[in-house]
Amino acid sequence: MDTTTTATHREREIIVNGQPLATAAATLAELVDKQGFAGVKVATALNGDFVAERLRAATSLGAGDRIEILTVRQGG
């Protein structure tokens, strides 16, 4: 039995911006950081519902969740 793996480090399959992803991120805030958006202003949604930045750290992720991470684009 492998005792080095804990429940907090288990990967779960989720969908991010329409693409499947295996992640150990437990919260939406952690996922945003792991996806390279730390310090970047983004909009997020979990299963179709908007999640404000201040709520991301308290928003748990589960297997099968659908997450959208959107950035602002400028230009024409």
Side-chain angles (χ1 to χ4, degrees):
M1 181 158 104
D2 181 9
T3 58
T4 60
T5 302
T6 64
T8 58
H9 291 97
R10 289 191 187 142
E11 288 194 342
R12 65 193 108 256
E13 294 287 331
I14 61 174
I15 305 294
V16 177
N17 295 343
Q19 300 297 315
L21 176 72
T23 183
T27 66
L28 185 54
E30 189 178 351
L31 177 69
V32 168
D33 288 349
K34 287 182 180 239
Q35 291 298 298
F37 295 106
V40 176
K41 291 286 185 190
V42 296
T44 55
L46 173 65
N47 298 322
D49 294 321
F50 172 77
V51 179
E53 181 179 8
R54 70 182 185 282
L55 300 176
R56 291 178 195 153
T59 302
S60 298
L61 299 179
D65 280 344
R66 299 182 73 80
I67 292 94
E68 297 293 328
I69 303 172
L70 305 170
T71 59
V72 176
R73 290 187 71 172
Q74 292 181 329

